[in-house]
Amino acid sequence: MLKNFEKGAAADTFGTLDTDALKQRLAVLQQQIKALNIPVMIVFEGWGASGKGSMIAKLIANMDPRGFKVYNICERDKAEKRYHFLQRFWSKIPPYGNLAIFDRSWYREISALPLKEQRKAEKRIAEIKDFEAQLSNDGYVIIKLFLHISKKEQKSRLNALEDAQATRWRVTENDWRQNKNYQVHYDIFDNMLRQTNTPHAPWHIIDAAERKSTTKQIFSVIIRTLEEAIQKKESGNTAAPIPMQLVHDIDRVPVEHLAEINLSGKAPDDSLYSKELEAKQKRLFELQNEIYLKKIPVILAFEGWDAAGKGGNIKRIARALDPRGYEVIPVSAPTEQEKAHQYLWRFWNNLPKTGHIKIFDRTWYGRVLVERIEGFCSQSEWERAYDEINSFEKSLTEHGAIVLKFWLQIDKKEQLNRFSDRQNTLEKQWKITQEDWRNRERWPEYEVAADEMIQLTNTKSAPWTVVESNDKRYARIKTLDTIIKAMENRLQK
Amino acid sequence: MLKNFEKGAAADTFGTLDTDALKQRLAVLQQQIKALNIPVMIVFEGWGASGKGSMIAKLIANMDPRGFKVYNICERDKAEKRYHFLQRFWSKIPPYGNLAIFDRSWYREISALPLKEQRKAEKRIAEIKDFEAQLSNDGYVIIKLFLHISKKEQKSRLNALEDAQATRWRVTENDWRQNKNYQVHYDIFDNMLRQTNTPHAPWHIIDAAERKSTTKQIFSVIIRTLEEAIQKKESGNTAAPIPMQLVHDIDRVPVEHLAEINLSGKAPDDSLYSKELEAKQKRLFELQNEIYLKKIPVILAFEGWDAAGKGGNIKRIARALDPRGYEVIPVSAPTEQEKAHQYLWRFWNNLPKTGHIKIFDRTWYGRVLVERIEGFCSQSEWERAYDEINSFEKSLTEHGAIVLKFWLQIDKKEQLNRFSDRQNTLEKQWKITQEDWRNRERWPEYEVAADEMIQLTNTKSAPWTVVESNDKRYARIKTLDTIIKAMENRLQK
């Protein structure tokens, strides 16, 4: 890609406007994307000393500071290394209508890898492609700029930076190493650019040799892309969803339909149950310690009918655990801030670090359950969510997480009993709301959605466990058993 | 304090309820504090192996997970060390109606200090007292528990933990060191407890020798405190505000009243202005580099009349800076989430790390300006805010930050000219709203509030600069000059 560019094939044509006019145009566009709720991510990659910083300074000079943020992406620190490499970028996606500008980006996680770790790079590329695809599907505009300079030009700039007292400290050994091994880095960059040059998030290679022309190229690319995005949004044309890459590698496992589940499972009698529960909780506590030492993140996801016993089930797990190593994440309707981001954003922001356990009381599957049924998202949105969720979970398991998903199944009669009980018991009344009764009326629709969800997202690496929950104690034992087995399996590896 | 406790003087009396009844009582109280919007912070401090973790596990076992969070406070990591030591605790204060439970807390920052750093400890104690006082003033309930065990008991527990395979890794060298130097730590703890035992946030020393009795003591203290808080809130009695400690040490500097400001200052003519601006921007850029290397955080706070030129002024500063080292924080009406916390929370969450610059376009002074005038907070709230803000800024400057505050002053006629201009210029229309016109009608009230604010918060370490802004260019030069001088002064030290 760089070769072709150098031959002039990919050079951007740009208009006759001068820089001031371009800046003004951009300021107006920023107000328009705000009004149209279009989120924009601008990525600056390129050679050391290619001028990323000063170009960003120019870019934002006339922008309304209420609408953008600049992120300077360094090497991941110790705390960040305890999460999936994309976590820190997910957490930085802008709210709808806003811009995020990245000085280095997720591409750092590829280009900074040594050549011998190319296999790792390939995996990361697939994950990055899904990251960008998911955001594009959600309406995010991703503008990727690569600032290109020659070896000679880089060398002379590094020298100039070193000569000035104010900027001397900025030139690092890494910069000089890059210059010395220019060709090696050239090949890494070229490979990265080629493999991640997608129609929805194409690379724009910028000839950064000369400051004034660089500015014009960059403004032109951004203005053109924003104009197109605005036009597209205004015309209401929605493109076909971009398929996910990671789902090619998942093993989808066939599973019984919900309607076929036998709900007659019963726990042993009182004293036996207590003993069994206690023994399993003790075992889980031991395993938590091992998981912690082995630095394995654990995600336990709970879905199921209202009053199916999620809370009680989670409590039995939580009681077994050291509170320093787990957290329960209760998921309810998204806040205003959460609604202003792609729907997986709030879950990416709540993942366990290595060695820790997060228990989700309701999950990202809300997209294909309540959001689908209540019409909070469009049909095409929930239809493509299965793949997006599979890709999300694949990223987590690739990162080393144990991901277990539980569907707590009861029948309609049992739910009525429990609703009545809650209504009639003072300390349980907070658990039952009008919404629960309304959801109950839509039982058949929820049944179809839940069944479809389990069929389409039951994978070998992130399996569903349908927990027969008419008998609460049976359900608790089964859940604990499932978690214990999954942890033991992993620890034996 | 520990001595008296050991003699039985401070022992808690507790009721005859059994543990299950206490747990149930707590679950009901949690719903009540939710309903009454009372935020609660529970601090667990104490000896290593005194059982903090398992007590927290018991405490939360029956709680609604939607209403609390548990924080395990370790040593500050590298990223956290780039902020004031209280920053990570401010960021963790719970929203109104919720609980935050701390396994170790801000007291770690004292008790982990070696004896020879006692002077540091004293400063920190003053800051901690202001932290707790501010939160108490805002209605936060702070429950502090110290789990006390004897040297012998600690030793036998550490041995037991080491004997069990699952828990062996938890015993660290530090634990054994604490046991060996029990008396030294005893004195440090005792001093810390005595100095921070305040009426609004008293310490409860818990005899943690025996598990069952420990549980009962802890539940009793928490239940009693919550019941009192609920009663107080329901009765509507508000206590007199707790005074801040740090403000004793600030030098308040007399300053001209706004009405006396001469606004006739004019910038030099066009070409001279451009040259001067450019020279000062260049100097600022150099200083940013030095500030970065010296790891000094910088806070530039802008307030002033609508249309006084805050945006343009900030732009001239921002243009001079490397975008990797600064951020503009536009402050508007607080979000729902922000409204659910003490008013300084959102600013503590947005402080610069060492070496970085944050420019606030409107600030925490909103409390004594718009919130005062529009009645968004009560009179007693904005009246005590002057001290709270002085204490906040004192913390920042003690931490090493440069704090500069700018009030952009124009007269009423000039404002009208600028409003009209904005209304009549397409690309400026977004800058003017109905609210601006409404604010203009309350000019005299704002003038009183702004004047009082400057008089009461103009300190030597965090001074106000009143910038005569009828001539925009004069204002820009003066602002740049002020920043440059402050940075130069600091760097010479």
Side-chain angles (χ1 to χ4, degrees):
Chain A
M1 236 179 122
L2 289 172
K3 237 345 136 240
N4 282 341
F5 169 76
E6 284 157 2
K7 286 183 197 145
D12 273 295
T13 56
F14 33 88
T16 51
L17 288 175
D18 70 3
T19 313
D20 275 347
L22 289 169
K23 280 184 183 167
Q24 216 157 350
R25 178 84 193 109
L26 188 61
V28 174
L29 286 170
Q30 192 195 358
Q31 297 308 316
Q32 284 181 279
I33 68 150
K34 183 108 215 166
L36 289 166
N37 254 337
I38 301 172
V40 179
M41 295 162 87
I42 303 178
V43 167
F44 281 83
E45 289 283 348
W47 295 92
S50 60
K52 295 186 288 292
S54 57
M55 284 303 143
I56 292 174
K58 279 192 190 169
L59 191 62
I60 64 180
N62 278 344
M63 280 191 190
D64 177 0
R66 288 169 298 187
F68 72 86
K69 270 193 181 268
V70 177
Y71 296 104
N72 179 28
I73 304 300
C74 305
E75 209 189 322
R76 269 187 287 165
D77 64 25
K78 227 172 130 189
E80 287 168 334
K81 277 192 181 141
R82 298 189 67 176
Y83 293 94
H84 187 279
F85 81 94
L86 283 174
Q87 199 281 326
R88 60 174 175 156
F89 303 109
W90 268 101
S91 73
K92 294 180 178 63
I93 65 172
Y96 300 145
N98 285 54
L99 288 103
I101 299 163
F102 292 87
D103 182 353
R104 307 296 307 271
S105 66
W106 42 99
Y107 286 101
R108 192 193 172 103
E109 309 283 350
I110 297 170
S111 61
L113 277 177
L115 266 182
K116 55 185 173 191
E117 292 193 47
Q118 274 309 297
R119 266 202 64 193
K120 213 177 195 175
E122 264 170 50
K123 280 212 166 146
R124 288 191 178 172
I125 283 172
E127 299 196 57
I128 282 174
K129 281 176 132 170
D130 277 10
F131 170 60
E132 293 180 354
Q134 285 184 57
L135 293 176
S136 297
N137 281 343
D138 199 53
Y140 282 72
V141 177
I142 302 170
I143 305 175
K144 303 189 297 197
L145 306 160
F146 186 88
L147 274 57
H148 188 42
I149 49 174
S150 68
K151 183 174 182 175
K152 208 177 128 198
E153 175 69 20
Q154 189 184 33
K155 191 175 176 181
S156 91
R157 289 193 187 188
L158 292 174
N159 280 326
L161 283 170
E162 280 195 337
D163 287 346
Q165 212 204 328
T167 54
R168 188 171 304 153
W169 59 275
R170 291 205 195 170
V171 180
T172 64
E173 266 186 50
N174 270 335
D175 291 320
W176 281 117
R177 214 174 295 131
Q178 193 187 56
N179 189 253
K180 252 162 223 143
N181 303 310
Y182 186 92
Q183 192 54 46
V184 174
H185 289 278
Y186 185 100
D187 292 340
I188 291 175
F189 281 142
D190 194 52
N191 181 47
M192 174 187 96
L193 294 168
R194 268 188 295 109
Q195 289 203 59
T196 56
N197 190 38
T198 54
H200 52 279
W203 278 104
H204 303 276
I205 298 168
I206 305 293
D207 176 359
E210 198 270 311
R211 189 161 290 230
K212 203 160 180 186
S213 129
T214 309
T215 313
K216 277 187 92 175
Q217 292 173 69
I218 289 173
F219 272 89
S220 301
V221 166
I222 294 172
I223 288 171
R224 200 185 318 127
T225 311
L226 293 184
E227 284 174 342
E228 278 168 21
I230 287 165
Q231 206 178 12
K232 209 177 111 195
K233 180 101 182 206
E234 279 176 337
S235 73
N237 283 342
T238 46
I242 304 148
M244 298 294 109
Q245 306 269 315
L246 295 176
V247 296
H248 296 315
D249 295 331
I250 59 167
D251 292 325
R252 216 179 253 130
V253 182
V255 62
E256 256 187 318
H257 286 282
L258 281 183
E260 294 158 8
I261 304 286
N262 177 353
L263 287 171
S264 64
K266 285 242 176 288
D269 67 40
D270 269 20
S271 70
L272 216 65
Y273 164 73
S274 302
K275 248 189 214 157
E276 230 183 292
L277 183 69
E278 208 173 310
K280 288 187 196 302
Q281 285 177 328
K282 202 175 151 227
R283 179 71 188 129
L284 183 58
F285 175 73
E286 290 165 0
L287 287 165
Q288 183 193 14
N289 277 288
E290 286 189 59
I291 287 286
Y292 179 81
L293 290 174
K294 293 261 164 66
K295 298 191 182 305
I296 300 168
V298 178
I299 292 156
L300 306 176
F302 284 85
E303 289 285 354
W305 298 101
D306 290 330
K310 289 189 295 297
N313 222 309
I314 289 171
K315 204 180 277 182
R316 298 319 179 285
I317 299 162
R319 270 192 197 158
L321 301 172
D322 186 315
R324 290 170 278 211
Y326 83 89
E327 195 181 346
V328 178
I329 309 293
V331 174
S332 46
T335 63
E336 280 311 312
Q337 203 197 9
E338 288 166 347
K339 271 188 217 156
H341 292 85
Q342 202 260 17
Y343 69 101
L344 288 174
W345 178 72
R346 61 171 166 159
F347 302 106
W348 274 99
N349 278 336
N350 252 317
L351 293 177
K353 53 187 171 188
T354 51
H356 282 243
I357 301 172
K358 291 254 183 169
I359 306 173
F360 288 88
D361 186 350
R362 300 209 181 278
T363 68
W364 43 97
Y365 284 99
R367 188 71 162 183
V368 295
L369 294 169
V370 57
E371 291 192 42
R372 164 182 176 173
I373 287 166
E374 301 288 340
F376 297 150
C377 66
S378 71
Q379 179 163 356
S380 78
E381 280 173 328
W382 63 257
E383 278 180 349
R384 71 167 190 260
Y386 300 113
D387 274 0
E388 289 169 337
I389 287 172
N390 281 329
S391 166
F392 169 54
E393 293 174 356
K394 182 75 183 169
S395 271
L396 301 178
T397 56
E398 280 290 321
H399 176 58
I402 295 176
V403 178
L404 299 173
K405 305 176 294 195
F406 297 93
W407 175 264
L408 271 52
Q409 176 69 3
I410 51 173
D411 59 36
K412 221 180 152 181
K413 200 175 130 235
E414 180 62 26
Q415 189 188 49
L416 185 61
N417 292 341
R418 295 187 186 178
F419 277 16
S420 310
D421 177 50
R422 287 181 175 187
Q423 204 101 50
N424 299 329
T425 316
L426 185 71
E427 68 267 28
K428 289 184 186 167
Q429 274 169 12
W430 60 272
K431 288 188 181 180
I432 180 112
T433 63
Q434 278 309 311
E435 208 186 314
D436 295 324
W437 290 104
R438 276 197 303 276
N439 290 343
R440 183 173 161 80
E441 278 166 31
R442 311 188 82 160
W443 182 286
E445 289 159 79
Y446 272 102
E447 194 159 35
V448 169
D451 200 50
E452 208 164 301
M453 165 188 92
I454 294 171
Q455 298 297 325
L456 292 172
T457 60
N458 189 50
T459 61
K460 214 176 152 191
S461 50
W464 279 102
T465 302
V466 177
V467 184
E468 304 83 349
S469 302
N470 269 9
D471 182 325
K472 283 179 182 181
R473 299 185 303 176
Y474 176 89
R476 289 165 191 165
I477 298 287
K478 179 167 176 179
T479 307
L480 279 166
D481 265 340
T482 309
I483 299 168
I484 288 168
K485 254 178 232 150
M487 287 184 173
E488 285 175 342
N489 275 340
R490 169 62 66 83
L491 290 164
Q492 271 158 21
K493 270 178 196 162
Chain B
M1 239 180 121
L2 288 173
K3 236 346 135 240
N4 282 342
F5 169 76
E6 284 158 2
K7 287 185 196 143
D12 273 294
T13 56
F14 32 89
T16 52
L17 288 176
D18 70 3
T19 313
D20 275 347
L22 290 169
K23 279 184 185 168
Q24 217 157 346
R25 178 83 194 109
L26 188 61
V28 174
L29 286 170
Q30 192 195 357
Q31 297 308 314
Q32 285 181 276
I33 66 149
K34 183 109 214 163
L36 289 166
N37 255 336
I38 301 173
V40 179
M41 295 161 86
I42 303 178
V43 168
F44 281 82
E45 288 285 346
W47 295 93
S50 61
K52 295 184 289 291
S54 57
M55 285 303 143
I56 292 174
K58 278 194 190 167
L59 190 62
I60 64 180
N62 276 346
M63 281 191 191
D64 177 0
R66 288 170 298 188
F68 72 87
K69 271 193 182 268
V70 177
Y71 296 103
N72 178 28
I73 303 300
C74 305
E75 208 189 323
R76 270 186 286 166
D77 64 25
K78 226 173 129 187
E80 287 167 335
K81 278 192 181 139
R82 298 188 67 176
Y83 294 95
H84 187 278
F85 81 94
L86 284 174
Q87 199 281 329
R88 60 175 175 156
F89 304 108
W90 268 103
S91 75
K92 292 180 179 66
I93 65 172
Y96 300 146
N98 285 54
L99 288 102
I101 298 164
F102 292 87
D103 182 351
R104 307 298 305 273
S105 66
W106 41 100
Y107 286 100
R108 192 195 173 100
E109 308 283 350
I110 296 170
S111 61
L113 276 177
L115 267 181
K116 55 185 172 191
E117 291 193 47
Q118 274 309 298
R119 265 203 63 192
K120 213 176 193 175
E122 264 169 50
K123 280 213 164 144
R124 287 192 179 172
I125 283 173
E127 299 197 58
I128 281 174
K129 281 177 135 172
D130 277 9
F131 171 60
E132 293 180 354
Q134 283 184 59
L135 293 176
S136 297
N137 281 343
D138 200 51
Y140 281 72
V141 176
I142 302 170
I143 305 175
K144 303 189 296 197
L145 306 160
F146 185 87
L147 275 59
H148 187 42
I149 48 175
S150 68
K151 183 172 182 176
K152 206 176 128 197
E153 176 69 21
Q154 188 185 34
K155 191 174 176 184
S156 93
R157 289 192 187 188
L158 291 174
N159 280 325
L161 282 170
E162 280 195 338
D163 287 347
Q165 210 202 331
T167 54
R168 188 170 305 153
W169 60 275
R170 290 209 196 164
V171 180
T172 64
E173 265 184 53
N174 269 336
D175 292 320
W176 280 117
R177 213 174 296 133
Q178 194 186 54
N179 189 251
K180 250 162 226 145
N181 303 310
Y182 186 90
Q183 192 53 45
V184 174
H185 289 279
Y186 185 99
D187 293 340
I188 291 175
F189 280 143
D190 194 53
N191 181 46
M192 173 187 98
L193 294 168
R194 268 187 296 110
Q195 290 203 57
T196 57
N197 190 40
T198 53
H200 51 280
W203 277 103
H204 302 276
I205 299 168
I206 305 292
D207 175 1
E210 198 270 313
R211 187 162 294 228
K212 206 161 176 184
S213 128
T214 310
T215 314
K216 276 187 92 175
Q217 293 173 68
I218 289 173
F219 272 89
S220 301
V221 166
I222 294 172
I223 288 171
R224 199 184 321 127
T225 312
L226 293 184
E227 284 174 343
E228 277 168 22
I230 287 165
Q231 209 180 6
K232 206 177 114 195
K233 180 102 181 203
E234 278 176 338
S235 72
N237 284 341
T238 45
I242 304 148
M244 299 294 110
Q245 306 270 315
L246 296 177
V247 295
H248 297 315
D249 296 330
I250 59 168
D251 292 325
R252 218 178 253 129
V253 182
V255 63
E256 256 186 318
H257 286 283
L258 281 184
E260 295 157 8
I261 304 285
N262 177 353
L263 287 170
S264 64
K266 285 240 176 289
D269 67 40
D270 269 20
S271 70
L272 215 65
Y273 164 73
S274 303
K275 248 189 215 158
E276 229 184 293
L277 183 69
E278 209 173 308
K280 289 187 195 303
Q281 286 177 328
K282 203 175 151 228
R283 180 70 189 130
L284 183 59
F285 175 74
E286 289 165 358
L287 287 166
Q288 182 192 15
N289 278 289
E290 286 188 60
I291 286 287
Y292 180 82
L293 290 174
K294 294 260 163 68
K295 299 192 182 307
I296 300 168
V298 179
I299 293 157
L300 306 176
F302 283 85
E303 289 286 353
W305 298 101
D306 289 330
K310 288 187 296 298
N313 221 310
I314 290 171
K315 204 181 276 178
R316 297 319 180 283
I317 300 162
R319 269 192 198 155
L321 301 172
D322 186 315
R324 288 170 280 210
Y326 82 90
E327 195 180 346
V328 178
I329 310 294
V331 174
S332 45
T335 64
E336 280 310 312
Q337 203 197 6
E338 288 165 348
K339 271 187 218 158
H341 291 84
Q342 202 260 16
Y343 69 100
L344 289 173
W345 177 72
R346 61 170 166 158
F347 302 104
W348 275 99
N349 278 336
N350 252 317
L351 294 177
K353 53 186 171 189
T354 50
H356 281 243
I357 300 171
K358 292 253 182 167
I359 306 173
F360 289 87
D361 186 350
R362 301 206 180 279
T363 69
W364 42 98
Y365 284 98
R367 188 69 163 185
V368 294
L369 294 170
V370 57
E371 291 191 42
R372 164 182 178 173
I373 287 166
E374 300 288 342
F376 296 151
C377 65
S378 70
Q379 178 164 353
S380 77
E381 281 174 329
W382 63 257
E383 277 180 349
R384 70 167 189 261
Y386 300 113
D387 273 359
E388 289 169 337
I389 286 172
N390 280 330
S391 166
F392 168 55
E393 292 174 356
K394 182 75 182 168
S395 271
L396 301 179
T397 55
E398 280 292 320
H399 176 59
I402 295 175
V403 179
L404 300 174
K405 305 176 294 196
F406 297 93
W407 175 266
L408 271 53
Q409 176 70 1
I410 51 172
D411 59 35
K412 221 179 153 184
K413 199 174 132 236
E414 180 62 25
Q415 189 188 48
L416 184 63
N417 291 342
R418 294 188 188 179
F419 276 15
S420 311
D421 176 51
R422 287 182 175 186
Q423 204 103 51
N424 299 329
T425 316
L426 185 70
E427 69 266 27
K428 289 185 185 166
Q429 275 169 12
W430 60 272
K431 288 189 181 179
I432 179 112
T433 65
Q434 277 309 311
E435 209 185 313
D436 295 324
W437 289 104
R438 274 198 304 276
N439 290 344
R440 184 173 160 78
E441 279 166 31
R442 310 189 81 161
W443 183 286
E445 290 160 78
Y446 272 102
E447 194 159 35
V448 169
D451 200 50
E452 207 165 303
M453 165 188 93
I454 294 172
Q455 298 298 325
L456 292 172
T457 60
N458 189 50
T459 61
K460 212 175 154 194
S461 50
W464 278 103
T465 303
V466 176
V467 184
E468 303 83 350
S469 303
N470 269 10
D471 182 327
K472 282 179 183 182
R473 299 186 302 176
Y474 176 89
R476 289 166 192 164
I477 298 285
K478 177 166 178 180
T479 307
L480 280 166
D481 265 340
T482 309
I483 299 168
I484 288 169
K485 254 177 233 151
M487 287 183 173
E488 285 175 341
N489 275 341
R490 169 62 65 85
L491 290 164
Q492 270 158 19
K493 272 178 196 163

